[in-house]
Amino acid sequence: MGSASKQQPTKPAKKSNVRPSTADRRARIAELRAEEQRRDRRNKFIAIGAASVLVAAMIGGGAWIALDAKDKKDKQNAAAKAPIDGVQTFDKLTRNHVATKVTYPQTPPVGGDHSQVWLNCMGTVYDKPVENENAVHALEHGAVWVTYNAKASAEDITTLSTKVKTTPYSFMSPYPDEQGAITLTAWGTQLTVDSASDPRVATFFTKYVQGPQTQEPGASCSTAQ
């Protein structure tokens, strides 16, 4: 008898030890770099977009501020040119420096000869009457002088004091002898009102604080020299 042939067992396949080719590695690196570049471009576009929005907002805001400032300036210029109902004006006022008391035709005085020393008029509120001659010199420098008598209410006095304290080239003092409750005076110019709430008060300040009536534009209104 012939011997039967024996079947040989199947050997397991060996694992491949072949490494990825250089071309494969380069392709993978290129893919990673391309993805990184796409991400960088997205981030750049986002940053540019955000910056554009911010710049547009700044430009828009700046334009609005400029327009608002121009509008306020235009209103001030219009107020300065418009006449104020009830204002009295006086001309041919002398401007000599004197060392004696002066008799003024207006009460309070609106100008004329005066002391060589002016009152501090940088938003100063005096609680007692001041010397006419010193006050008139302050008017010459472009200040507005607010005076009041016993007819003015405590509320009016407080309102006017607040206005003066926040307005350089203005000052305020009681003036018992004046006719009206409240008088606003600039050089050669005067207005009498019954209440601090009268809208002409604000208009008078706008027009005459360092206004066209100023005899010495730019002169100091702080401590007299």
Side-chain angles (χ1 to χ4, degrees):
M1 290 180 58
S3 60
S5 61
K6 298 182 179 179
Q7 186 177 0
Q8 296 296 324
T10 302
K11 294 182 180 180
K14 292 182 179 180
K15 294 182 178 180
S16 175
N17 292 325
V18 179
R19 297 181 178 180
S21 67
T22 300
D24 291 338
R25 290 198 302 274
R26 289 177 178 175
R28 179 57 179 164
I29 291 172
E31 183 180 349
L32 293 174
R33 286 178 177 173
E35 177 61 30
E36 183 177 3
Q37 290 173 352
R38 286 193 292 271
R39 184 168 57 250
D40 288 344
R41 284 196 295 270
R42 285 196 301 271
N43 292 338
K44 185 180 294 184
F45 290 148
I46 291 172
I48 291 173
S52 299
V53 171
L54 180 60
V55 170
M58 292 175 65
I59 292 174
W64 182 87
I65 292 173
L67 289 173
D68 185 58
K70 183 179 184 302
D71 183 59
K72 289 180 180 178
K73 186 65 176 178
D74 289 344
K75 288 181 179 178
Q76 289 179 347
N77 290 337
K81 294 178 182 179
I84 302 174
D85 185 39
V87 166
Q88 293 181 289
T89 58
F90 308 85
D91 55 10
K92 298 180 180 179
L93 300 170
T94 57
R95 295 174 51 202
N96 301 308
H97 286 176
V98 297
T100 59
K101 298 293 290 183
V102 178
T103 299
Y104 295 102
Q106 299 85 26
T107 305
V110 300
D113 293 348
H114 50 270
S115 170
Q116 66 178 354
V117 179
W118 63 88
L119 286 178
N120 188 310
C121 43
M122 291 299 286
T124 311
V125 175
Y126 298 93
D127 57 7
K128 296 180 180 179
V130 298
E131 295 294 333
N132 285 334
E133 292 76 17
N134 303 114
V136 170
H137 195 157
L139 297 181
E140 186 181 44
H141 288 193
V144 164
W145 183 16
V146 179
T147 54
Y148 60 93
N149 60 20
K151 297 177 185 177
S153 68
E155 183 180 359
D156 283 339
I157 294 172
T158 299
T159 299
L160 293 168
S161 296
T162 301
K163 176 65 175 177
V164 168
K165 288 177 181 178
T166 56
T167 308
Y169 284 87
S170 73
F171 63 107
M172 176 175 171
S173 69
Y175 208 105
D177 297 335
E178 69 181 27
Q179 294 298 311
I182 299 165
T183 304
L184 306 176
T185 304
W187 182 274
T189 311
Q190 197 163 73
L191 172 68
T192 299
V193 297
D194 295 327
S195 170
S197 62
D198 190 313
R200 292 176 296 170
V201 172
T203 306
F204 193 95
F205 270 81
T206 299
K207 185 168 186 174
Y208 293 111
V209 170
Q210 283 283 279
Q213 84 293 340
T214 303
Q215 300 299 299
E216 296 182 3
S220 174
C221 216
S222 57
T223 305
Q225 298 176 347

